Amino acid sequence: GQNIDQPTEMTATEGAIVQINCTYQTSGFNGLFWYQQHAGEAPTFLSYNVLDGLEEKGRFSSFLSRSKGYSYLLLKELQMKDSASYLCAVLDSNYQLIWGAGTKLIIKP
Amino acid sequence: GAVVSQHPSWVICKSGTSVKIECRSLDFQATTMFWYRQFPKQSLMLMATSNEGSKATYEQGVEKDKFLINHASLTLSTLTVTSAHPEDSSFYICSAPGLADIYEQYFGPGTRLTVT
């Protein structure tokens, strides 16, 4: 079966750095997405990786290793508004998005 | 950027009634739209893929006679929850694939359905 694993919850301090990991086992791979979802709202796009390596976009970076079936989202200079759930999703061989359960990130002052 | 709207943003209905949720792509055409359901503290669950001009494709375990999907135009898909029950209370979100090659999904703001 297809499976995406990410931690259920993480806590970090304002101004610090946090890394959210995601491992996946899917039938085929056409890219990995990270989305941010605030409570009661729809997900918003953060990043997309299809090749190995690090993609940097401001305070957020996303890394992919296809051979290891592994990705992480790195958030720097954490702000209180970064408190949200972070969803990892993989586009499989049928171009269907397979979603992880999400990681709830709690930022403390 | 691509914008997807949903209406209503929240709705309360009585058990046994039907509720229609609209999903519109405002500045682009979407031949395909996706309908998701999300229960509290859980991830998105794909319910069905809506295809303009043809029948929707439902995921395993989703009752097509209960969740009616109509994709009547290139900018509008509707989800009707028929004979709603309290267990249908959930957050319903639609999305449409973007125009870029990366197949990014643009999400609507979601509809909170509460069945009493």
Side-chain angles (χ1 to χ4, degrees):
Chain A
Q2 309 205 89
N3 192 50
I4 296 183
D5 288 316
Q6 46 181 137
T8 304
E9 187 174 296
M10 298 182 70
T11 302
T13 305
E14 189 177 15
I17 299 173
V18 70
Q19 177 175 310
I20 303 174
N21 296 324
C22 171
T23 58
Y24 62 89
Q25 292 176 311
T26 57
S27 55
F29 179 85
N30 280 301
L32 184 144
F33 294 84
W34 283 97
Y35 280 84
Q36 180 191 61
Q37 185 178 26
H38 285 99
E41 299 180 12
T44 55
F45 171 79
L46 288 179
S47 67
Y48 171 77
N49 294 70
V50 67
L51 299 176
D52 290 350
L54 186 68
E55 294 279 344
E56 297 185 77
K57 190 184 292 185
R59 294 190 298 115
F60 293 3
S61 302
S62 56
F63 171 83
L64 174 68
S65 169
R66 288 172 296 172
S67 62
K68 295 182 180 179
Y70 166 71
S71 172
Y72 67 72
L73 180 69
L74 189 71
L75 292 76
K76 303 176 183 177
E77 301 170 15
L78 286 170
Q79 302 175 10
M80 297 303 293
K81 67 178 182 180
D82 297 330
S83 292
S85 287
Y86 291 85
L87 307 175
C88 173
V90 172
L91 203 58
D92 71 7
S93 58
N94 295 319
Y95 287 91
Q96 179 168 329
L97 269 177
I98 310 300
W99 293 88
T103 298
K104 182 179 180 180
L105 177 63
I106 300 169
I107 309 297
K108 295 186 175 180
Chain B
V3 178
V4 176
S5 70
Q6 267 183 257
H7 178 78
S9 55
W10 61 271
V11 58
I12 301 173
C13 70
K14 292 185 177 181
S15 186
T17 61
S18 296
V19 175
K20 180 186 284 188
I21 302 171
E22 294 184 347
C23 177
R24 293 181 185 272
S25 56
L26 297 185
D27 52 359
F28 67 105
Q29 294 181 331
T31 56
T32 300
M33 289 184 176
F34 301 96
W35 286 97
Y36 293 88
R37 180 167 53 182
Q38 186 176 35
F39 292 107
K41 298 185 179 182
Q42 295 186 24
S43 189
L44 299 170
M45 187 191 80
L46 180 65
M47 298 176 65
T49 301
S50 172
N51 303 298
E52 188 269 335
S54 64
K55 292 183 178 180
T57 304
Y58 290 82
E59 296 300 304
Q60 192 172 11
V62 178
E63 301 174 58
K64 61 181 179 182
D65 294 330
K66 179 172 180 62
F67 298 98
L68 302 180
I69 291 174
N70 186 355
H71 198 144
S73 75
L74 289 172
T75 59
L76 173 64
S77 175
T78 61
L79 168 68
T80 301
V81 183
T82 63
S83 187
H85 289 99
E87 55 265 32
D88 298 324
S89 298
S90 186
F91 192 49
Y92 292 85
I93 309 175
C94 70
S95 73
L99 304 176
D101 295 336
I102 67 170
Y103 210 70
E104 173 187 342
Q105 293 290 315
Y106 293 98
F107 286 88
T111 297
R112 175 74 59 192
L113 170 63
T114 302
V115 184
T116 60

